[in-house]
Amino acid sequence: MNVDTSSSPPSGDPPPPALGLRVLVVEDNASDRWYFSEILRSRGYTVVSCEDGETAWAAFQEAPPPLILLDLGLPGMDGLELCRRIRAHPGGAAPVILAVTGREETGAVSDMLEAGGDDFIRKPVDPRLLDIRLLIAERRIHEQDERRETADALASTTRELAKLFQNLQDVFFSVDLSTGELIQVSPASEKLFGFEPEDLLERPELWRRYLLPAEGDADPWQRLQDEGSGGPSVREYPVELPGGSIRWIRATVEVERDESGQPVRADGVATDTTDERQARVELARRNEELDALHRLAEVSLVPGQSLDELYNQILTLVTETLETPIAAIEQVDRDRDRLVVTAAQGVDRTAAERPCEVPIHDSISGEAVRTRQPVVVTSAQDLRGRLPTCLDGRPIEFYAALPLLAGSEVLGTLMLASTEPVAWNPRRTALALNLATSVAAIAERFEAEEALRASEARFRTLAGQLSQANRELESFAYSVSHDLRAPLRTMQGFAHALLQNFGESLEPEARDYARRIIASGKQSETLIGDLLAYSRLSFEELELKPVDLDRVVEAARAQVDSYLSEAEAEIEVEGPLPSVKGSHTMLVQVVANLLSNAAKFVPEGRTPTIRIRSEERGDMIRLWVEDNGIGIPEGQDDRIFRVFERLSEGSDRPGTGIGLAIVRRGMQRIGGDCGVERRDPHGSAFWISAPREIRTRWRPWGRRSGG
Ligand code: ADP
């Protein structure tokens, strides 16, 4: 074999159109072989050349080329034989065969075409004609390539589709409606129903069980045909599989009709909807649960209902939701080892003479309390003798007790029962337990609210009694003080008369006694006066009006003027002072007390200096009365404002211990306050505060601001 794979074209030739295309040149004549090879190379072909049929056949088998230039008149295996062999070759290679013939006869050409050749060219070969023939061959090769690619793509798509079809979960099927036979069913039938398509195709009773099974006596296939052409019909139904499990199938079937409207065929798809259905059922159940809990919350929030009413509402809801006709709330009575029914539905309590209860240590409900777990019993036998007394003698088939858990405590149980068997499952237990937990929370909250309400009521009663007692005491103090005044005055009058009329004849000691009676009387009178003033402050109707503090201070100074003058007190007022809302008389009384104290509690030899000023604090006005006196020791601030409280530091000064109590009571009555602060190096700063008087300023008619 002479294999020459170099492919450099002669210079000056047109650009090669078939760069790299392999060509097998089979030619016994050496000069012709060289000639063909050169032309082909110049056109960009990769040339493999052979001088006889056998060599060419071997070269072809080794690597089939897309194009063969074949001399028909070869020694040994001739061109026709080679042609036939190539065409019969099973490898799928179909090269374009361009025959070269020297013979004139048309027979040679027809022999060549018959043997599988595609085209021919006569010797001596005209290079222009060879060009044309090569172009035709190239086009044919190109077309063959394209055809092959298309066929390959089609084959792979077909394979993919087949695979997809194999893997489909849904079963596709067709039924011939004229014969009533299943004519086609997809392989998924094995997965969905456990039967190969062949089984179903052969056994009508089998496919009719899985694809639209009969409902009662009606034939669904007949009905499908009668229904008319209203689009596909959908049906969902359960089927029992060979293993005994139940699957839900949704079949969508469409009937095909001929021109006259006669049903011909039904095409359908059967889908397994078991999981989807379960999800749907689950969702519905969840909604139902949420709805129940929501309604429970609503019921529990209705105001003003008693615990009995609340329990009855809850139990109605529970029986509706859990579909057990009997429901009760049992409360733990640990002292008696009993669970006592406090509310019930479906139990005739009026007929029961005994209380409805059950021992905790030996009952089903008791077990729920002891284990803090739900207990569900569905066999009548296990229930015997372990039920609450009000269910005695009733043919109970179902019983459940759910613990009412409140933190670490078990309050009791939510009991459910039925005289019929109940379709129960763990889901229901979970829902019942959820409801029970909510019931426990509601009961706990209700009890806490009840306790709060009771203690509030108790508190109100006590507060009422206390203020009544206070009022009585104050009015008693008032009348006693008032009534004491007259005999006191009489006593003083007689003491005065004794001194005046019989003073001369009395022993000096007796005169001293008479004077002491007068002094004590005076002291008592002051005390009574102060007490009366204090009591009056509690009863008196105070009309709150704008009060000018400048005028208050002025009046207070006048009231205690003799006192201040005697003490030689210096008073500085930082005016003008604002107005407050209060009672003028009361405020004068308060300020007078503060002023007299400020002048009174000053160490011997120090001139009392009193400074009065005001300060705004939000909606309140503070009036300060500051002195340079003996001061208030630490920790006594509150004490000095109480009745009869006097500090040892100033106890040698006259006083009753009521002045500051009047200050506090008075300020409280107008919604104000009072207090004291220490001042360095000595002295105290007493303050009173009262609501600020907010004046509304009316703009005069017709006058514009800024005008
Ligand atoms: P009284 O002045 O009649 O003693 P008060 O109720 O007015 O009673 O005062 C109670 C006590 O508070 C006084 O006895 C005194 O100890 C103390 N106190 C009141 N005002 C002052 C003050 N400005 N400086 C020092 N101590 C005071």
Side-chain angles (χ1 to χ4, degrees):
M1 175 167 49
N2 172 13
V3 175
D4 177 359
T5 53
S6 70
S7 58
S8 53
S11 59
D13 276 355
L19 199 67
L21 201 65
R22 274 176 72 238
V23 57
L24 183 61
V25 176
V26 192
E27 173 59 69
D28 58 334
N29 181 300
S31 65
D32 280 356
R33 196 166 63 238
W34 178 86
Y35 176 68
F36 292 147
S37 297
E38 281 312 295
I39 290 181
L40 287 165
R41 256 181 224 123
S42 73
R43 287 191 54 80
Y45 285 90
T46 302
V47 179
V48 178
S49 60
C50 304
E51 55 188 30
D52 58 58
E54 278 77 17
T55 326
W57 174 231
F60 172 80
Q61 281 175 301
E62 202 180 309
L67 176 62
I68 299 174
L69 192 68
L70 176 62
D71 181 17
L72 289 183
L74 294 173
M77 186 200 296
D78 72 357
L80 287 178
E81 176 55 21
L82 184 62
C83 221
R84 273 184 220 108
R85 281 200 189 180
I86 287 172
R87 286 301 176 229
H89 187 255
V96 173
I97 300 175
L98 179 56
V100 182
T101 171
R103 289 183 234 168
E104 291 296 319
E105 315 89 280
T106 36
V109 174
S110 61
D111 286 349
M112 180 277 297
L113 289 176
E114 213 168 278
D118 293 295
D119 202 354
F120 70 98
I121 187 164
R122 285 190 204 284
K123 280 186 183 174
V125 170
D126 176 346
R128 280 171 306 165
L129 216 58
L130 182 62
D131 259 359
I132 291 169
R133 292 287 194 265
L134 285 173
L135 270 179
I136 293 169
E138 278 164 19
R139 191 170 298 157
R140 191 168 288 176
I141 290 168
H142 184 66
E143 278 170 8
Q144 268 180 3
D145 281 352
E146 273 190 344
R147 222 171 294 138
R148 198 175 309 118
E149 271 169 27
T150 312
D152 283 353
L154 194 68
S156 107
T157 311
T158 312
R159 273 195 306 276
E160 292 282 312
L161 275 175
K163 212 153 77 187
L164 205 69
F165 198 60
Q166 287 282 340
N167 289 335
L168 267 183
Q169 303 289 328
D170 298 344
V171 173
F172 291 86
F173 58 91
S174 298
V175 173
D176 183 336
L177 292 175
S178 57
T179 61
E181 266 174 37
L182 180 70
I183 48 174
Q184 206 178 321
V185 63
S186 67
S189 68
E190 209 281 315
K191 256 181 251 148
L192 194 54
F193 305 125
F195 290 101
E196 300 283 351
E198 294 74 42
D199 297 333
L200 297 179
L201 288 166
E202 278 163 21
R203 295 163 58 190
E205 85 286 354
L206 204 59
W207 71 259
R208 278 172 181 271
R209 196 187 301 158
Y210 295 117
L211 304 172
L212 289 204
E215 302 161 273
D217 293 338
D219 177 6
W221 292 96
Q222 189 54 51
R223 220 183 50 202
L224 200 66
Q225 295 173 48
D226 299 343
E227 266 170 11
S229 48
S233 101
V234 182
R235 219 185 103 193
E236 201 164 344
Y237 52 86
V239 294
E240 191 182 336
L241 299 190
S245 66
I246 303 288
R247 309 291 300 169
W248 277 84
I249 304 294
R250 185 195 299 129
T252 310
V253 187
E254 190 149 28
V255 173
E256 205 168 289
R257 293 169 192 273
D258 63 13
E259 283 130 35
S260 64
Q262 276 301 309
V264 190
R265 222 176 64 181
D267 294 318
V269 53
T271 310
D272 185 346
T273 57
T274 315
D275 293 345
E276 181 191 316
R277 212 183 143 82
Q278 237 160 28
R280 276 202 311 258
V281 171
E282 177 78 359
L283 193 69
R285 220 173 270 158
R286 281 262 154 109
N287 276 343
E288 193 189 322
E289 279 178 35
L290 278 180
D291 186 50
L293 290 171
H294 184 79
R295 279 167 59 206
L296 195 65
E298 261 177 10
V299 161
S300 77
L301 290 176
V302 175
Q305 56 187 338
S306 69
L307 193 57
D308 278 350
E309 285 164 345
L310 179 60
Y311 277 166
N312 277 327
Q313 295 240 40
I314 290 175
L315 290 177
T316 308
L317 194 118
V318 164
T319 49
E320 273 170 27
T321 310
L322 295 170
E323 292 164 342
T324 58
I326 303 170
I329 288 169
E330 300 170 297
Q331 247 166 24
V332 164
D333 180 349
R334 293 223 186 257
D335 297 340
R336 293 175 53 238
D337 177 46
R338 286 284 186 280
L339 269 166
V340 185
V341 169
T342 49
Q345 290 266 315
V347 177
D348 186 7
R349 295 297 313 284
T350 48
E353 285 150 22
R354 297 173 292 159
C356 183
E357 57 184 31
V358 75
I360 296 178
H361 78 272
D362 181 27
S363 65
I364 296 167
S365 294
E367 196 179 321
V369 171
R370 281 179 278 120
T371 60
R372 305 165 57 88
Q373 297 290 329
V375 180
V376 180
V377 182
T378 48
S379 119
Q381 228 165 27
D382 296 340
L383 294 168
R384 205 160 299 144
R386 302 181 68 209
L387 296 177
T389 41
C390 49
L391 294 183
D392 276 351
R394 288 184 68 174
I396 299 296
E397 293 278 343
F398 170 87
Y399 190 93
L402 296 309
L404 298 178
L405 299 170
S408 59
E409 213 190 327
V410 189
L411 305 179
T413 72
L414 172 65
M415 176 270 267
L416 309 165
S418 172
T419 51
E420 305 285 330
V422 171
W424 197 259
N425 55 30
R427 192 89 237 143
R428 303 227 125 202
T429 309
L431 172 58
L433 194 60
N434 254 339
L435 287 171
T437 309
S438 300
V439 170
I442 290 168
E444 225 193 359
R445 200 200 68 206
F446 200 93
E447 263 167 33
E449 279 174 3
E450 278 283 85
L452 190 70
R453 269 195 292 274
S455 74
E456 269 174 8
R458 226 177 7 254
F459 176 76
R460 268 197 301 276
T461 317
L462 277 177
Q465 285 169 349
L466 199 66
S467 71
Q468 172 69 13
N470 256 346
R471 271 196 304 278
E472 281 169 11
L473 205 63
E474 274 160 2
S475 87
F476 173 73
Y478 183 80
S479 48
V480 167
S481 320
H482 192 265
D483 295 352
L484 273 179
R485 260 187 163 174
L488 196 63
R489 288 215 175 112
T490 314
M491 222 162 74
Q492 279 178 295
F494 279 114
H496 271 293
L498 191 66
L499 275 180
Q500 250 166 20
N501 301 338
F502 307 98
E504 307 273 298
S505 53
L506 283 178
E507 293 285 321
E509 203 179 347
R511 270 205 301 276
D512 183 45
Y513 287 164
R515 275 192 211 102
R516 282 195 200 194
I517 291 174
I518 294 170
S520 291
K522 211 169 190 169
Q523 165 74 4
S524 300
E525 211 184 323
T526 317
L527 181 66
I528 289 169
D530 282 356
L531 262 178
L532 277 174
Y534 179 73
S535 313
R536 217 181 287 126
L537 254 186
S538 310
F539 300 116
E540 232 170 27
E541 284 292 329
L542 286 186
E543 198 190 341
L544 300 189
K545 294 197 285 208
V547 179
D548 182 349
L549 284 180
D550 278 320
R551 285 189 49 222
V552 167
V553 171
E554 206 179 307
R557 279 176 77 168
Q559 203 175 80
V560 288
D561 184 47
S562 59
Y563 201 84
L564 296 174
S565 312
E566 199 181 316
E568 296 178 349
E570 290 171 8
I571 300 181
E572 182 198 339
V573 182
E574 285 182 16
L577 300 170
S579 287
V580 295
K581 214 161 141 201
S583 146
H584 177 82
T585 327
M586 188 276 292
L587 281 167
V588 170
Q589 200 177 352
V590 164
V591 175
N593 268 306
L594 294 178
L595 284 178
S596 64
N597 280 352
K600 180 163 60 171
F601 296 104
V602 178
E604 206 71 45
R606 191 185 294 164
T607 308
T609 312
I610 304 168
R611 180 165 164 247
I612 297 173
R613 62 185 177 90
S614 69
E615 180 187 86
E616 257 186 49
R617 289 212 171 194
D619 291 343
M620 307 296 277
I621 297 288
R622 262 190 189 192
L623 186 76
W624 290 88
V625 179
E626 296 168 331
D627 63 44
N628 59 343
I630 57 171
I632 308 291
E634 197 99 38
Q636 305 295 326
D637 301 5
D638 188 56
R639 195 185 134 198
I640 53 172
F641 287 96
R642 295 204 287 260
V643 191
F644 300 137
E645 292 287 357
R646 309 195 71 214
L647 302 180
S648 55
E649 283 78 3
S651 57
D652 53 335
R653 275 80 167 173
T656 57
I658 295 175
L660 288 181
I662 288 178
V663 170
R664 177 187 269 179
R665 172 65 62 96
M667 294 318 291
Q668 281 171 347
R669 292 235 28 215
I670 62 163
D673 203 357
C674 60
V676 65
E677 284 178 7
R678 269 159 289 285
R679 284 288 180 259
D680 267 348
H682 40 239
S684 328
F686 282 83
W687 59 265
I688 54 169
S689 71
R692 191 151 58 114
E693 164 58 16
I694 301 162
R695 275 178 245 255
T696 328
R697 291 170 209 274
W698 294 100
R699 220 166 16 144
W701 282 104
R703 214 196 278 172
R704 283 196 203 117
S705 59

